CSV table of all heavy atoms in Angstrom, one decimal:
chain,number,residue,atom,x,y,z
A,298,ILE,N,-0.4,10.0,5.0
A,298,ILE,CA,-0.2,10.6,6.3
A,298,ILE,C,-1.5,10.3,7.1
A,298,ILE,O,-2.5,10.0,6.6
A,298,ILE,CB,0.1,12.1,6.2
A,298,ILE,CG1,-1.0,12.9,5.6
A,298,ILE,CG2,1.4,12.3,5.4
A,298,ILE,CD1,-0.7,14.4,5.6
A,299,GLY,N,-1.4,10.5,8.5
A,299,GLY,CA,-2.5,10.2,9.3
A,299,GLY,C,-2.0,9.7,10.7
A,299,GLY,O,-0.9,9.4,10.8
A,300,VAL,N,-2.9,9.8,11.7
A,300,VAL,CA,-2.5,9.4,13.0
A,300,VAL,C,-2.3,7.9,13.1
A,300,VAL,O,-2.7,7.1,12.2
A,300,VAL,CB,-3.5,9.9,14.1
A,300,VAL,CG1,-3.6,11.4,14.1
A,300,VAL,CG2,-4.8,9.2,14.0
A,301,ASN,N,-1.7,7.4,14.2
A,301,ASN,CA,-1.4,6.0,14.4
A,301,ASN,C,-2.7,5.2,14.4
A,301,ASN,O,-3.6,5.6,15.0
A,301,ASN,CB,-0.6,5.8,15.7
A,301,ASN,CG,0.9,6.0,15.5
A,301,ASN,OD1,1.4,6.1,14.3
A,301,ASN,ND2,1.6,6.2,16.6
A,302,GLY,N,-2.6,4.0,13.8
A,302,GLY,CA,-3.7,3.1,13.9
A,302,GLY,C,-4.8,3.2,12.9
A,302,GLY,O,-5.8,2.4,12.9
A,303,VAL,N,-4.8,4.3,12.1
A,303,VAL,CA,-5.9,4.5,11.1
A,303,VAL,C,-5.8,3.6,9.9
A,303,VAL,O,-6.8,3.4,9.3
A,303,VAL,CB,-5.9,6.0,10.6
A,303,VAL,CG1,-6.3,6.9,11.7
A,303,VAL,CG2,-4.6,6.4,10.0
A,304,GLY,N,-4.7,3.0,9.7
A,304,GLY,CA,-4.6,2.0,8.5
A,304,GLY,C,-3.6,2.5,7.4
A,304,GLY,O,-3.8,2.1,6.3
A,305,LYS,N,-2.6,3.3,7.8
A,305,LYS,CA,-1.7,3.8,6.8
A,305,LYS,C,-0.9,2.7,6.2
A,305,LYS,O,-0.8,2.5,5.0
A,305,LYS,CB,-0.7,4.8,7.4
A,305,LYS,CG,-1.3,6.2,7.7
A,305,LYS,CD,-0.2,7.1,8.2
A,305,LYS,CE,0.5,6.7,9.5
A,305,LYS,NZ,-0.4,6.6,10.6
A,306,THR,N,-0.2,1.9,7.1
A,306,THR,CA,0.7,0.9,6.6
A,306,THR,C,-0.1,-0.2,5.8
A,306,THR,O,0.4,-0.6,4.7
A,306,THR,CB,1.4,0.2,7.8
A,306,THR,OG1,2.0,1.2,8.6
A,306,THR,CG2,2.4,-0.8,7.4
A,307,THR,N,-1.2,-0.5,6.3
A,307,THR,CA,-2.1,-1.5,5.5
A,307,THR,C,-2.5,-1.0,4.2
A,307,THR,O,-2.5,-1.7,3.2
A,307,THR,CB,-3.4,-1.8,6.4
A,307,THR,OG1,-3.0,-2.1,7.7
A,307,THR,CG2,-4.2,-2.9,5.8
A,308,SER,N,-2.8,0.3,4.1
A,308,SER,CA,-3.3,0.9,2.9
A,308,SER,C,-2.1,1.0,1.9
A,308,SER,O,-2.3,0.8,0.7
A,308,SER,CB,-3.9,2.3,3.1
A,308,SER,OG,-5.0,2.2,3.9
A,309,VAL,N,-0.9,1.3,2.4
A,309,VAL,CA,0.3,1.3,1.5
A,309,VAL,C,0.5,-0.1,0.9
A,309,VAL,O,0.7,-0.2,-0.3
A,309,VAL,CB,1.5,1.8,2.2
A,309,VAL,CG1,2.8,1.5,1.4
A,309,VAL,CG2,1.5,3.3,2.6
A,311,LYS,N,-1.7,-2.5,0.5
A,311,LYS,CA,-2.8,-2.9,-0.4
A,311,LYS,C,-2.6,-2.2,-1.7
A,311,LYS,O,-2.7,-2.8,-2.8
A,311,LYS,CB,-4.2,-2.5,0.2
A,311,LYS,CG,-4.7,-3.3,1.3
A,311,LYS,CD,-6.0,-2.7,1.9
A,311,LYS,CE,-6.6,-3.5,3.1
A,311,LYS,NZ,-7.7,-2.7,3.7
A,329,ASP,N,7.6,5.5,8.4
A,329,ASP,CA,7.0,5.5,9.8
A,329,ASP,C,8.1,4.8,10.7
A,329,ASP,O,8.0,3.6,10.9
A,329,ASP,CB,5.7,4.7,9.9
A,329,ASP,CG,5.1,4.7,11.3
A,329,ASP,OD1,5.8,5.2,12.2
A,329,ASP,OD2,4.0,4.3,11.5
A,332,ARG,N,7.4,3.6,14.8
A,332,ARG,CA,6.8,2.4,15.2
A,332,ARG,C,7.5,1.2,14.6
A,332,ARG,O,7.5,1.1,13.4
A,332,ARG,CB,5.3,2.4,14.8
A,332,ARG,CG,4.4,1.5,15.5
A,332,ARG,CD,2.9,1.9,15.2
A,332,ARG,NE,2.6,1.8,13.8
A,332,ARG,CZ,2.0,0.7,13.3
A,332,ARG,NH1,1.8,-0.4,14.0
A,332,ARG,NH2,1.7,0.7,12.0
A,334,ALA,N,7.0,-1.9,14.6
A,334,ALA,CA,6.1,-2.8,13.9
A,334,ALA,C,5.6,-2.4,12.5
A,334,ALA,O,5.4,-3.2,11.7
A,334,ALA,CB,4.8,-3.1,14.8
A,335,ALA,N,5.6,-1.1,12.3
A,335,ALA,CA,5.2,-0.5,11.0
A,335,ALA,C,6.2,-1.0,10.0
A,335,ALA,O,5.8,-1.3,8.8
A,335,ALA,CB,5.1,1.0,11.1
A,338,GLN,N,5.7,-4.7,9.4
A,338,GLN,CA,4.4,-4.9,8.7
A,338,GLN,C,4.6,-4.6,7.2
A,338,GLN,O,4.1,-5.3,6.4
A,338,GLN,CB,3.5,-3.9,9.3
A,338,GLN,CG,2.1,-4.5,9.7
A,338,GLN,CD,1.3,-3.3,10.4
A,338,GLN,OE1,1.8,-2.9,11.5
A,338,GLN,NE2,0.3,-2.9,9.8
A,342,TRP,N,4.2,-6.8,3.7
A,342,TRP,CA,3.3,-6.5,2.6
A,342,TRP,C,4.2,-6.4,1.3
A,342,TRP,O,3.7,-6.9,0.2
A,342,TRP,CB,2.7,-5.1,2.8
A,342,TRP,CG,1.4,-5.1,3.6
A,342,TRP,CD1,1.3,-4.7,4.9
A,342,TRP,CD2,0.1,-5.5,3.2
A,342,TRP,NE1,0.0,-4.8,5.3
A,342,TRP,CE2,-0.7,-5.3,4.3
A,342,TRP,CE3,-0.4,-6.0,2.0
A,342,TRP,CZ2,-2.1,-5.6,4.2
A,342,TRP,CZ3,-1.8,-6.3,1.9
A,342,TRP,CH2,-2.6,-6.1,3.1
A,381,ASP,N,4.9,5.3,3.5
A,381,ASP,CA,4.3,5.2,4.8
A,381,ASP,C,4.9,6.3,5.7
A,381,ASP,O,6.1,6.4,5.7
A,381,ASP,CB,4.5,3.8,5.4
A,381,ASP,CG,3.6,3.5,6.6
A,381,ASP,OD1,2.6,4.3,6.8
A,381,ASP,OD2,3.9,2.5,7.3
A,382,THR,N,4.2,7.0,6.5
A,382,THR,CA,4.8,8.0,7.4
A,382,THR,C,4.2,7.8,8.8
A,382,THR,O,3.2,7.1,9.0
A,382,THR,CB,4.5,9.4,7.0
A,382,THR,OG1,3.0,9.6,7.0
A,382,THR,CG2,4.9,9.7,5.5
A,417,VAL,N,-5.0,9.4,5.6
A,417,VAL,CA,-5.8,8.2,6.0
A,417,VAL,C,-6.6,8.5,7.2
A,417,VAL,O,-6.1,9.0,8.2
A,417,VAL,CB,-4.8,7.0,6.2
A,417,VAL,CG1,-5.6,5.7,6.4
A,417,VAL,CG2,-3.8,6.9,5.0
A,419,ASP,N,-9.7,6.8,9.9
A,419,ASP,CA,-10.4,5.6,10.3
A,419,ASP,C,-11.9,5.9,10.3
A,419,ASP,O,-12.4,6.8,11.1
A,419,ASP,CB,-9.9,5.3,11.8
A,419,ASP,CG,-10.6,4.1,12.4
A,419,ASP,OD1,-11.7,3.7,11.9
A,419,ASP,OD2,-10.1,3.5,13.3
A,421,THR,N,-14.4,4.4,11.4
A,421,THR,CA,-15.2,4.0,12.6
A,421,THR,C,-15.1,5.2,13.6
A,421,THR,O,-15.9,5.1,14.6
A,421,THR,CB,-14.6,2.8,13.3
A,421,THR,OG1,-13.3,3.0,13.8
A,421,THR,CG2,-14.6,1.6,12.3
A,444,LEU,N,-10.3,6.5,3.4
A,444,LEU,CA,-11.2,6.3,4.5
A,444,LEU,C,-11.3,4.8,4.8
A,444,LEU,O,-11.9,4.0,4.0
A,444,LEU,CB,-12.6,6.9,4.2
A,444,LEU,CG,-13.6,7.0,5.3
A,444,LEU,CD1,-13.1,7.9,6.4
A,444,LEU,CD2,-14.9,7.5,4.8
A,445,THR,N,-10.7,4.4,5.9
A,445,THR,CA,-10.6,2.9,6.1
A,445,THR,C,-11.7,2.4,7.1
A,445,THR,O,-12.4,3.2,7.7
A,445,THR,CB,-9.2,2.6,6.8
A,445,THR,OG1,-9.2,3.3,8.1
A,445,THR,CG2,-8.0,3.1,6.0
A,446,LYS,N,-11.7,1.1,7.2
A,446,LYS,CA,-12.5,0.4,8.2
A,446,LYS,C,-14.1,0.6,8.1
A,446,LYS,O,-14.8,0.5,9.0
A,446,LYS,CB,-12.1,0.6,9.6
A,446,LYS,CG,-10.5,0.5,9.8
A,446,LYS,CD,-10.1,0.6,11.2
A,446,LYS,CE,-8.6,0.8,11.3
A,446,LYS,NZ,-8.1,1.0,12.6
A,447,LEU,N,-14.5,1.0,6.8
A,447,LEU,CA,-15.9,1.2,6.7
A,447,LEU,C,-16.7,-0.1,6.9
A,447,LEU,O,-17.9,-0.1,7.1
A,447,LEU,CB,-16.2,1.8,5.3
A,447,LEU,CG,-15.8,3.3,5.1
A,447,LEU,CD1,-16.2,3.8,3.7
A,447,LEU,CD2,-16.5,4.1,6.2
A,448,ASP,N,-16.0,-1.2,6.8
A,448,ASP,CA,-16.7,-2.5,7.1
A,448,ASP,C,-17.1,-2.7,8.5
A,448,ASP,O,-17.9,-3.5,8.9
A,448,ASP,CB,-15.8,-3.7,6.6
A,448,ASP,CG,-14.4,-3.6,7.2
A,448,ASP,OD1,-13.8,-2.5,7.1
A,448,ASP,OD2,-13.9,-4.6,7.8
A,449,GLY,N,-16.4,-1.9,9.4
A,449,GLY,CA,-16.6,-2.0,10.8
A,449,GLY,C,-17.5,-1.0,11.4
A,449,GLY,O,-17.5,-0.8,12.7
A,470,ILE,N,-11.6,3.8,-0.3
A,470,ILE,CA,-12.2,3.4,1.0
A,470,ILE,C,-11.7,1.9,1.3
A,470,ILE,O,-11.5,1.1,0.4
A,470,ILE,CB,-13.7,3.4,0.9
A,470,ILE,CG1,-14.3,2.6,-0.3
A,470,ILE,CG2,-14.2,4.8,0.8
A,470,ILE,CD1,-15.8,2.5,-0.3
A,471,GLY,N,-11.6,1.7,2.6
A,471,GLY,CA,-11.2,0.4,3.1
A,471,GLY,C,-12.4,-0.3,3.6
A,471,GLY,O,-13.1,0.2,4.4
A,472,ILE,N,-12.6,-1.5,3.1
A,472,ILE,CA,-13.8,-2.3,3.5
A,472,ILE,C,-13.4,-3.7,4.0
A,472,ILE,O,-14.2,-4.6,3.8
A,472,ILE,CB,-14.9,-2.3,2.4
A,472,ILE,CG1,-14.2,-2.8,1.1
A,472,ILE,CG2,-15.6,-1.0,2.2
A,472,ILE,CD1,-15.3,-3.1,0.0
A,473,GLY,N,-12.2,-3.8,4.5
A,473,GLY,CA,-11.8,-5.1,5.0
A,473,GLY,C,-10.2,-5.2,5.0
A,473,GLY,O,-9.6,-4.2,4.7
A,474,GLU,N,-9.7,-6.4,5.4
A,474,GLU,CA,-8.3,-6.5,5.6
A,474,GLU,C,-7.5,-7.1,4.4
A,474,GLU,O,-6.3,-7.2,4.4
A,474,GLU,CB,-8.0,-7.2,6.9
A,474,GLU,CG,-8.7,-6.6,8.1
A,474,GLU,CD,-8.1,-6.8,9.4
A,474,GLU,OE1,-6.9,-6.6,9.5
A,474,GLU,OE2,-8.8,-7.3,10.3
A,475,GLN,N,-8.3,-7.6,3.4
A,475,GLN,CA,-7.6,-8.2,2.3
A,475,GLN,C,-7.1,-7.2,1.3
A,475,GLN,O,-7.5,-6.0,1.3
A,475,GLN,CB,-8.6,-9.2,1.5
A,475,GLN,CG,-9.1,-10.3,2.4
A,475,GLN,CD,-8.1,-11.1,3.1
A,475,GLN,OE1,-7.1,-11.5,2.4
A,475,GLN,NE2,-8.2,-11.3,4.4
A,478,ASP,N,-9.5,-5.2,-0.6
A,478,ASP,CA,-10.5,-4.5,0.2
A,478,ASP,C,-10.2,-3.0,0.3
A,478,ASP,O,-10.8,-2.3,1.1
A,478,ASP,CB,-10.6,-5.1,1.6
A,478,ASP,CG,-11.2,-6.5,1.6
A,478,ASP,OD1,-12.0,-6.8,0.6
A,478,ASP,OD2,-11.0,-7.3,2.5
A,479,LEU,N,-9.3,-2.5,-0.5
A,479,LEU,CA,-9.1,-1.1,-0.7
A,479,LEU,C,-9.6,-0.7,-2.0
A,479,LEU,O,-9.1,-1.3,-3.0
A,479,LEU,CB,-7.7,-0.7,-0.5
A,479,LEU,CG,-7.4,0.8,-0.4
A,479,LEU,CD1,-7.8,1.4,1.0
A,479,LEU,CD2,-6.0,1.2,-0.7
B,191,GDP,P1,-1.2,2.7,10.9
B,191,GDP,O1,-0.8,2.8,12.3
B,191,GDP,O2,-2.0,3.9,10.4
B,191,GDP,O3,-0.2,2.3,9.9
B,191,GDP,O4,-2.3,1.5,10.9
B,191,GDP,P2,-2.2,0.0,10.4
B,191,GDP,O5,-2.1,-0.1,8.9
B,191,GDP,O6,-1.3,-0.7,11.2
B,191,GDP,O7,-3.7,-0.5,10.7
B,191,GDP,C1,-4.2,-0.7,11.9
B,191,GDP,C2,-5.2,-1.9,12.0
B,191,GDP,O8,-6.4,-1.6,11.2
B,191,GDP,C3,-4.7,-3.1,11.4
B,191,GDP,O9,-5.0,-4.2,12.2
B,191,GDP,C4,-5.3,-3.3,10.0
B,191,GDP,O10,-5.4,-4.6,9.6
B,191,GDP,C5,-6.6,-2.6,10.3
B,191,GDP,N1,-7.3,-2.1,9.0
B,191,GDP,C6,-6.8,-1.2,8.2
B,191,GDP,N2,-7.6,-0.9,7.2
B,191,GDP,C7,-8.8,-1.7,7.4
B,191,GDP,C8,-10.1,-1.8,6.8
B,191,GDP,O11,-10.4,-1.2,5.8
B,191,GDP,N3,-10.9,-2.7,7.4
B,191,GDP,C9,-10.6,-3.4,8.5
B,191,GDP,N4,-11.6,-4.2,9.0
B,191,GDP,N5,-9.4,-3.2,9.2
B,191,GDP,C10,-8.5,-2.4,8.6
Side-chain angles (χ1 to χ4, degrees):
I298 63 178
V300 302
N301 279 342
V303 290
K305 285 184 301 296
T306 307
T307 309
S308 298
V309 168
K311 288 173 178 171
D329 180 354
R332 201 165 62 90
Q338 225 174 298
W342 277 104
D381 192 15
T382 64
V417 185
D419 179 340
T421 64
L444 192 61
T445 62
K446 310 186 196 180
L447 286 181
D448 52 310
I470 54 172
I472 49 169
E474 305 206 53
Q475 303 304 313
D478 289 337
L479 188 76

